[in-house]
Each structure stands twice: as C-alpha cells, then as structure tokens.
Amino acid sequence: MRFCNRPYDHFHITHNGKTYSCGWASKRMIGILSEQTVDEIQNGPDVQALRDSIEDQSFRYCRDTSCPYISNDSLPDLSPEDFRKEVDARLGKPPTNFNIAYDYTCNHACPSCRDGLFKTDPGYRDMMARMEEQLLPYLGNAKFLEASGNGDVFSSTYMMNMLSKVKPADKNCLITLETNGVLVKRNWEKVSHLEDYQLTVIVTPNSYERATYQELAGGFDNLDFTMDSLDFLCELRQAGRIKNFIITMVIQQANFREVPAFVETSLTRFKADRVQLRPMLPWFKLFHDKNFALRDLTNPKHPDHAEFVQVMNHPICQDPRVFHWSGKISA
Ligand SMILES: C[S@@+](CC[C@H](N)C(=O)[O-])C[C@H]1O[C@@H](n2cnc3c(N)ncnc32)[C@H](O)[C@@H]1O
Ligand code: SF4
C-alpha cells in the first residue's frame, strides 16, 4: 500500500493563515491559523478527508503532475501491517513537519507567481504576530521545518525575526529555506544558528542571463546580488556549514533554451548538490488561468513543445544530480 505522511505530519501555513496538509493537492485547505488553534486544525474534518483518501488508497485529492512523489513513483510501498503502523503512530499527535512561509511579501514579482509587488494592509502586522505566537511552541518539536512556497523568506522581516527565535530540540531537524537568492548573503547572520541543523538552501534564479533574469523576476535586475549569494552558499556548502544546496529553474517560454547552460553553471561554478528542473505549473496566480495550456511547454500542442523535449533530453539533463520535477519527458 502506498503511504504519504503529509496529511498526518504536515502543517503548511500560507498567506493569511490558510493551512494545508499538502500544497500540491487539489483539496488543500485544512483550516485557518489566524482564526483557529493548531489543535483545532489538526483534528478537523478536512484533514480527516485527506487521511481517508490515503487510507482507502484512492489518493483522490492528489495531483500527479504537481506532486514529485507521484510523478516519480517514489511514495513508499508498504505491507498492510506496516501501513497501519505508520498511521497509528501518528494519530492524536501534533504535527512535526511545518512549512512556515505564510508571509506573502517578496522583493520580486515573477510573472509565473504574481502580478506585482505585494502591499500589506493595516491588520497585517497583528495577524503575523498572532500566528507566530500560536506556532512558536510547536516549532521546538519540529522534525522538519520548511520556509518555501510563499513570498521570499529572506526579504520578510517577519520570517527573519521568527527564524531567529527557532531552535528545534532535535539537531537532526531537516530545515529548508527556499529563496530567489537576492538577500541571502546580506541576511545570513539572522539565520546562521540554523547551521547547527540539517540545513538545505534552495535558490531559484531561473536564469543566469541578465535580460531573461530581469524578465522572469518581474522587471527587477538583482542578478549580481543573486550570483554573490550563490557563490556564498557554494562556500558554505563546501565548508559543510549547510548540508544541501539546491538550485531550481522554473522552465517557461523565456528560459527553456537556456536549460543546458543553466545546469552546467549550477553544477560547475556553484557545485549544487541538485538542480531541479520544474516546468511552469498551474500554481500561484496561474491556478485559475484558463489559458494556461497555451503557455505550457509540456503540452504537445504548444508550438515549441518538440524543441522543449529536445532540450530536456540534452545529455547534461541526464546527470544524476538533475531532478526532473514533473518526471522525465521521453524524446
Ligand atoms: C513561490 S516561490 C517562493 C520561494 C522564493 N521566493 C523563490 O522564488 O524561490 C517557490 C518556488 O516556486 C517557483 N514558482 C513560481 N511560480 C511557479 C509556477 N507557476 N510553477 C512552478 N513553480 C513556480 C519559484 O520559482 C520557486 O522555485
Ligand atoms: S516566485 Fe518567489 S521570488 Fe518570484 S515573486 Fe514568487 S515568491 Fe517572489
């Protein structure tokens, strides 16, 4: 039986406190942290529906192109007894895996993500404070702590402030910070205590070509800061101060021809442990875009689909350090 621990262990808080078990699922919301307690959400009917869909093996809320585990057929396959043990070990327990990227603030406005810079309203600061107060006691027991998926953690004063207070008891806690990279070097001191844990940093520059970088960042030319941060993270990784260094490219019309050169630079200059190639997906602002298929290079009807397939099959994209987020596309 296939097992996914997300509806049991994960607590993924996004903008305005909307809380998910899994951000990739079609049924995502299990509660609202700015209005409910962690306990209320973790024992509510929505999370139960997701657990039922794992226990009856229908996975009816999972979207296979968004979920890298389903796309790559890598969910653990357990005997019925082991499956039951995994479920029973988790019932009635608080979540241990957190995604705390609930601040939408970002210094970029990538067109794959949003339509311009985010402006906060007057109640925003109080809401952020309430959520931090709710969450902090749980984070001391975290086994997995992620700040990714909403806004940019290094450009958020709330996130930097909260992360400066987070000190999980378990030194094996897996911590992941995902960023566009611009402010990593400048703000590293605020999170350097996280080097005591199993720390992964993921950077998504999307391009190392200035014009493409600027277009995909929504008009902001921060390439030099990003390159400095990538060199800095490469040094931290080589010194063993971070445990994993990942570079992502969201592949879309403006950058798909750059994929081989991007992978080459990521692996040689920045010595990334992994390069993630992720076709642009109907996420974020594209979630409701009825014309998404016309912009989707994985769509066989897209005029550049054949060239996209060729690029994705370039020999450097077969390097074992290259991860094809939505599965490999055969030529
Ligand atoms: C929303 S960002 C938040 C973290 C950080 N600001 C960053 O850009 O890495 C999370 C990841 O989603 C990627 N992304 C943005 N829009 C996307 C889309 N439509 N499809 C797939 N990935 C996307 C970003 O490039 C980044 O790798
Ligand atoms: S993808 Fe990341 S960097 Fe770009 S606008 Fe969204 S949150 Fe900001």
Side-chain angles (χ1 to χ4, degrees):
M1 295 174 77
R2 296 289 183 169
F3 181 67
C4 175
N5 68 339
R6 283 187 173 245
Y8 306 89
D9 295 342
H10 281 241
F11 205 79
H12 177 152
I13 312 128
T14 71
H15 186 39
N16 286 336
K18 285 184 193 155
T19 303
Y20 305 154
S21 276
C22 175
W24 303 315
S26 60
K27 176 183 177 58
R28 301 191 295 174
M29 194 130 107
I30 56 169
I32 303 181
L33 188 65
S34 47
E35 296 168 10
Q36 295 171 277
T37 65
V38 172
D39 266 4
E40 278 166 0
I41 297 172
Q42 185 68 356
N43 297 303
D46 292 313
V47 76
Q48 190 55 51
L50 284 163
R51 289 173 187 170
D52 289 347
S53 78
I54 305 297
E55 288 169 41
D56 68 16
Q57 295 285 282
S58 67
F59 288 82
R60 71 175 70 89
Y61 303 112
C62 303
R63 288 186 296 160
D64 51 1
T65 51
S66 293
C67 169
Y69 306 110
I70 294 184
S71 294
N72 290 283
D73 196 21
S74 60
L75 283 175
D77 195 4
L78 305 178
S79 68
E81 296 73 30
D82 287 342
F83 183 95
R84 200 63 245 163
K85 272 189 212 156
E86 294 292 342
V87 172
D88 289 347
R90 290 171 165 86
L91 293 181
K93 304 260 173 67
T96 51
N97 299 5
F98 296 87
N99 190 333
I100 56 166
Y102 53 78
D103 183 5
Y104 200 63
T105 309
C106 187
N107 52 340
H108 279 177
C110 305
S112 64
C113 172
R114 55 183 68 196
D115 284 320
L117 287 179
F118 173 63
K119 295 189 184 66
T120 59
D121 47 38
Y124 200 74
R125 183 190 290 264
D126 291 345
M127 181 180 74
M128 298 303 277
R130 273 201 309 280
M131 288 201 279
E132 180 179 313
E133 195 185 344
Q134 254 298 315
L135 261 184
L136 266 178
Y138 290 91
L139 298 185
N141 290 321
K143 303 257 176 260
F144 179 99
L145 181 65
E146 190 175 9
S148 82
N150 251 296
D152 199 88
V153 63
F154 284 91
S155 78
S156 159
T157 45
Y158 302 109
M159 287 294 131
M160 285 287 104
N161 188 36
M162 177 146 110
L163 284 171
S164 71
K165 296 180 204 161
V166 168
K167 293 185 177 81
D170 183 356
K171 291 288 179 208
N172 288 319
C173 181
L174 295 168
I175 301 184
T176 301
L177 306 178
E178 184 178 45
T179 171
N180 57 37
V182 177
L183 295 168
V184 172
K185 191 173 175 188
R186 217 184 301 171
N187 279 338
W188 190 256
E189 229 170 79
K190 295 175 186 147
V191 295
S192 59
H193 62 290
L194 300 179
E195 290 173 22
D196 291 346
Y197 300 91
Q198 302 297 312
L199 180 57
T200 292
V201 181
I202 308 178
V203 181
T204 311
N206 283 327
S207 174
Y208 299 130
E209 301 289 334
R210 194 170 299 278
T212 317
Y213 178 99
Q214 195 168 348
E215 177 184 339
L216 295 183
F220 296 92
D221 179 6
N222 284 317
L223 180 62
D224 296 336
F225 289 117
T226 302
M227 295 305 253
D228 273 358
S229 285
L230 288 164
D231 281 328
F232 172 71
L233 287 165
C234 173
E235 278 166 32
L236 292 189
R237 177 67 185 106
Q238 294 304 302
R241 290 171 58 187
I242 62 173
K243 302 296 181 294
N244 200 8
F245 178 29
I246 297 176
I247 299 179
T248 304
M249 183 188 213
V250 176
I251 304 167
Q252 45 204 305
Q253 188 70 43
N255 65 358
F256 83 96
R257 294 185 178 92
E258 296 172 17
V259 168
F262 182 92
V263 173
E264 167 82 26
T265 303
S266 302
L267 292 177
T268 52
R269 172 166 168 183
F270 300 125
K271 300 185 175 60
D273 293 289
R274 173 155 116 153
V275 182
Q276 300 191 134
L277 298 180
R278 179 160 60 215
M280 188 172 72
L281 288 161
W283 290 358
F284 311 116
K285 87 165 200 204
L286 302 177
F287 199 62
H288 298 293
D289 183 351
K290 290 195 184 66
N291 295 322
F292 178 75
L294 305 175
R295 300 166 62 186
D296 179 10
L297 287 159
T298 68
N299 174 3
K301 293 190 179 135
H302 190 288
D304 292 324
H305 177 73
E307 196 183 348
F308 165 73
V309 172
Q310 220 174 18
V311 164
M312 297 303 277
N313 281 284
H314 186 284
I316 201 163
C317 298
Q318 314 319 309
D319 187 291
R321 291 164 292 177
V322 175
F323 178 67
H324 293 250
W325 184 277
S326 295
K328 282 196 178 170
I329 301 168
S330 43

